[in-house]
Amino acid sequence: MHDNVVLIITISLIIITTPFFAKLLKLPTTPIEIIFGSILGYVGFLHTEHLFEIVAELGFLYLMFIAGTEINLKKVLKTPKELMKKIVLYLIILYAFSILISLYFNLGKIFMVLLPLISVGLIASLSKEYGKTPWLGLSMTAGAVGEVVSIGFLTLTSAAIESGFGSGLIKTILALIFFLLFMFLLFRAMELLFWWFPGVSTSLMPVDDNKEQDIRLSMGIFFLLVGAMLYLELELAFGAFLAGIFIPTFFEHKHELPEKLASYGFGFLIPIFFIYIGSSFDLAALTMDGLIYKALVIAAFMIIMRVIASLVFIKELGLIDSVLMGLSHSMPLTLLIAMATLAYQGSSIDTLHYYAFILAALFQVISVMIIIKLINNYKLKGDASV
């Protein structure tokens, strides 16, 4: 009982204090939550507890849900064909780099999936700081497509790790195809329904809402799709992600809803997930031979390959903004940690590489945030001098 009281108090204090440290250090709260979780877990204030694990898992699923709310499917589908071709080329280059690096350094097949991961989660935080710039707008569009691909690979990799490359994997792929087909038909049906009867969307989510119908419906969609994935034995994160896409796609009149949902998640559930990840990282592992070196190499590879691939957009953005866009995709913190955890639990990577990926994720966020700030300041000085 005493240990659980200490656990609850410690989590509460981390959630309360990390925004102040984030403001002081000018960093996102996420890496600070992981670092605090690691330090306080090492000294014994955090420990493994079943309820802690469940809430952390829910926090991760909610994070995937929030990532989905960043994507308006209608807008993504309206992306010009030429730009979409370049986005596809950008992703092909990323995966080509990943395959070459994995084969050349004999890293294993799982690295082919881990290295090119893209997540739009932290791109939203860049938008708050730098505004709606062209490179961030394109970053969000390309990131949305990239995240869908990443989540798809997350689902297939999860199935391959759990059931191997046999009948179990084939069954999972068929279930995934069936589910995607069903979701496509559902999206089309809802699109037609809301087009013929526009009042339906405002009935489900009234503009003047004093009963929090928007939150209730959002949570209903979230749990329904997570439940569907649980029944089909697919990756739960994929269902949570698709649930998030529903919100901006079909309820565009609720402009404030994604931010409202994100405020709740980042204020409560999501920090617990990152604190849990931090507590699972043993600080004593920092003394492991080659750990820091491997983490730095992984971080460097992931950043450089994205910057090089982003040069396909040089015609649309120019050199500096193309580099900034590539850097903005170099912080797939949430998906990288999730995939690394999945691979570690499935014995696809050893303890050394698991810790290396967590450290690399932290190195990426900290270094990329600093580099983007420096490049943006240089760009602003150049514009001012002109």
Side-chain angles (χ1 to χ4, degrees):
M1 178 66 75
H2 175 265
D3 288 344
N4 287 340
V5 171
V6 172
L7 175 68
I8 292 170
I9 292 172
T10 304
I11 293 172
S12 302
L13 290 175
I14 294 174
I15 291 173
I16 292 168
T17 57
T18 44
F20 297 101
F21 284 96
K23 189 175 181 180
L24 180 67
L25 299 172
K26 295 182 179 179
L27 288 171
T29 57
T30 299
I32 298 171
E33 287 160 355
I34 295 173
I35 292 168
F36 274 21
S38 182
I39 294 171
L40 293 172
Y42 182 73
V43 299
F45 287 100
L46 296 173
H47 64 274
T48 302
E49 169 63 38
H50 183 58
L51 187 58
F52 186 20
E53 293 177 3
I54 291 174
V55 177
E57 174 69 13
L58 183 59
F60 168 64
L61 294 176
Y62 196 83
L63 180 61
M64 291 297 99
F65 175 66
I66 295 302
T69 64
E70 299 286 345
I71 300 170
N72 186 322
L73 196 59
K74 292 178 184 176
K75 290 182 180 179
V76 172
L77 293 176
K78 289 178 182 177
T79 303
K81 286 185 179 180
E82 286 302 314
L83 184 57
M84 186 58 75
K85 286 179 183 177
K86 290 198 173 183
I87 291 172
V88 172
L89 177 61
Y90 169 72
L91 294 175
I92 290 172
I93 293 171
L94 279 184
Y95 280 91
F97 265 121
S98 177
I99 293 168
L100 288 173
I101 291 169
S102 300
L103 292 176
Y104 184 79
F105 291 98
N106 196 27
L107 296 175
K109 294 176 182 177
I110 193 67
F111 280 77
M112 298 179 189
V113 179
L114 289 169
L115 294 178
L117 289 175
I118 293 177
S119 178
V120 298
L122 289 178
I123 298 175
S125 66
L126 291 175
S127 298
K128 291 179 182 178
E129 184 170 352
Y130 298 106
K132 300 291 182 181
T133 61
W135 63 272
L136 271 174
L138 182 53
S139 175
M140 187 62 76
T141 303
V145 178
E147 182 153 11
V148 170
V149 173
S150 296
I151 294 283
F153 275 115
L154 172 65
T155 303
L156 294 176
T157 303
S158 173
I161 289 172
E162 289 179 10
S163 57
F165 293 92
S167 58
L169 179 60
I170 295 172
K171 180 183 175 183
T172 300
I173 292 173
L174 290 174
L176 180 61
I177 292 171
F178 169 78
F179 181 75
L180 288 175
L181 180 61
F182 172 76
M183 291 303 297
F184 171 76
L185 294 174
L186 182 61
F187 268 101
R188 291 294 297 165
M190 289 185 67
E191 192 175 20
L192 288 171
L193 176 67
F194 290 166
W195 186 78
W196 281 104
F197 306 100
V200 173
S201 62
T202 52
S203 296
L204 292 171
M205 288 191 184
V207 177
D208 297 320
D209 183 7
N210 60 0
K211 292 182 175 64
E212 305 300 340
Q213 280 182 236
D214 52 358
I215 300 292
R216 289 169 183 259
L217 182 60
S218 300
M219 291 299 95
I221 295 170
F222 170 68
F223 283 110
L224 279 172
L225 285 182
V226 169
M229 301 306 276
L230 190 63
Y231 177 75
L232 293 171
E233 297 182 359
L234 296 173
E235 179 55 45
L236 302 185
F238 191 55
F241 182 71
L242 288 176
I245 295 177
F246 264 90
I247 308 305
T249 302
F250 296 111
F251 302 100
E252 294 177 278
H253 64 286
K254 299 291 289 188
H255 301 291
E256 77 289 349
L257 182 56
E259 190 172 340
K260 193 175 176 181
L261 293 167
S263 297
Y264 170 73
F266 282 103
F268 170 49
L269 285 173
I270 296 171
I272 294 176
F273 165 66
F274 288 116
I275 293 167
Y276 175 78
I277 291 296
S279 68
S280 68
F281 182 89
D282 185 4
L283 281 181
L286 291 173
T287 60
M288 292 174 70
D289 186 36
L291 174 63
I292 295 176
Y293 172 74
K294 283 184 182 293
L296 288 171
V297 169
I298 289 171
F301 273 142
M302 292 184 73
I303 293 170
I304 291 168
M305 60 193 275
R306 283 162 176 75
V307 170
I308 293 173
S310 69
L311 296 179
V312 301
F313 301 109
I314 200 166
K315 184 178 178 181
E316 287 79 11
L317 298 174
L319 178 60
I320 294 177
D321 280 4
S322 293
V323 171
L324 286 171
M325 198 217 87
L327 287 169
S328 71
H329 285 172
S330 302
M331 302 180 291
L333 181 70
T334 53
L335 276 184
L336 184 59
I337 289 175
M339 281 289 288
T341 303
L342 185 69
Y344 178 61
Q345 290 172 348
S347 302
S348 295
I349 57 174
D350 57 20
T351 304
L352 175 64
H353 284 96
Y354 170 64
Y355 286 145
F357 270 110
I358 292 179
L359 267 185
L362 293 175
F363 289 157
Q364 283 174 272
V365 173
I366 295 168
S367 60
V368 166
M369 285 288 185
I370 293 170
I371 294 169
I372 287 177
K373 187 177 285 291
L374 291 173
I375 293 176
N376 192 65
N377 289 342
Y378 170 78
K379 181 186 170 187
L380 290 175
K381 286 181 181 177
D383 292 341
S385 61
V386 175

